[in-house]
Amino acid sequence: MADPSSSSRTERTRVTPNAVSLAETALVQKKLRLLMELRRAGIGDVRVLGAIEKTPREKFVPPAFEDQAYENVALPIGQGQTVSQPYVVALMTEKLELGERHNALEIGTGSGYQTAVLARLCRRVFSVERHRELLRDAERRFGELHLRNIVCRFGDGTKGWPEQEPYDRVIITAAAPQVPATLIEGLAPGGILVAPVGEDHRDQQLIRIRRHDDAFSTENLGLVRFVPLVAGLPRRTEGRGLT
């Protein structure tokens, strides 16, 4: 006679792979819907769309928000920061006009999602983050995804990364009343900087700055909403973590 407990164990092992398969299928469907939404919104660069498709956004959001990973919304990631909505990530990336031989400087690593998208499109990404916890988690994700062309630094992003000047491309993922002059002046001839600008979060503009030898041109790309760009590093208080 067959052992009933053995049969039930077999049933359980059969159910689990199906459940995983269904979850993966649902995730793929959500990602495809998002890609269609991005195309309808005007994102036409196939390389950018491909990078979005290959980057698992669910890995870059807290577990509580994984089911919203492929919705076109910004999500909290801790330390008062957010991961930008996919449309904004795609738009900023597209406006950078990244080539495979470019190096990109990113100010604000955050969860690492924007970083990972950039890394699939250029030679190397140099990313600066002022929150150690966020940077540590982002670097772990890069390792898990085998993204080897990302170099991170804990520091004040408003100062840039002087050792990497001149910059081919610069992307800033937080808003300041004005783009720090050090980042603009650090652009290489032909270089591009994309950043949100505005003191009030209700009136921020996404801008693109191009360097033409010693002259600069600025283009307005529309309204956005970002967390503020903060100079300096978070202060440690005795007996407490980063504040």
Side-chain angles (χ1 to χ4, degrees), residues 51-66:
I52 296 285
E53 183 177 7
K54 292 173 185 175
T55 304
R57 192 170 187 248
E58 72 274 12
K59 304 287 188 184
F60 293 89
V61 301
F65 295 98
E66 282 184 12

Side-chain angles (χ1 to χ4, degrees), residues 64-86:
F65 295 98
E66 282 184 12
D67 62 330
Q68 300 177 53
Y70 292 103
E71 294 180 17
N72 193 23
V73 294
L75 295 170
I77 57 172
Q79 304 296 323
Q81 306 300 301
T82 61
V83 55
S84 296
Q85 68 185 97

Side-chain angles (χ1 to χ4, degrees), residues 124-184:
R124 185 162 284 114
V125 182
F126 295 92
S127 188
V128 185
E129 174 55 55
R130 68 190 293 272
H131 292 286
R132 285 190 188 275
E133 291 87 347
L134 295 181
L135 186 59
R136 181 190 62 234
D137 290 344
E139 289 184 308
R140 173 183 54 77
R141 295 179 184 114
F142 302 150
E144 291 173 353
L145 295 173
H146 307 290
L147 295 171
R148 308 300 186 196
N149 62 334
I150 299 172
V151 184
C152 296
R153 167 182 283 185
F154 168 69
D156 180 356
T158 64
K159 296 178 179 179
W161 197 318
E163 298 88 343
Q164 300 305 326
E165 289 186 22
Y167 310 126
D168 297 325
R169 299 292 187 267
V170 177
I171 182 170
I172 306 176
T173 61
Q178 296 179 332
V179 177
T182 53
L183 298 176
I184 299 175

Side-chain angles (χ1 to χ4, degrees), residues 158-215:
T158 64
K159 296 178 179 179
W161 197 318
E163 298 88 343
Q164 300 305 326
E165 289 186 22
Y167 310 126
D168 297 325
R169 299 292 187 267
V170 177
I171 182 170
I172 306 176
T173 61
Q178 296 179 332
V179 177
T182 53
L183 298 176
I184 299 175
E185 293 166 2
L187 281 175
I192 295 174
L193 179 150
V194 174
V197 173
E199 197 160 1
D200 191 324
H201 72 275
R202 293 168 296 183
D203 190 31
Q204 293 174 1
Q205 299 284 335
L206 186 65
I207 65 168
R208 174 165 62 182
I209 298 175
R210 291 181 186 268
R211 180 165 195 166
H212 312 275
D213 295 323
D214 292 330

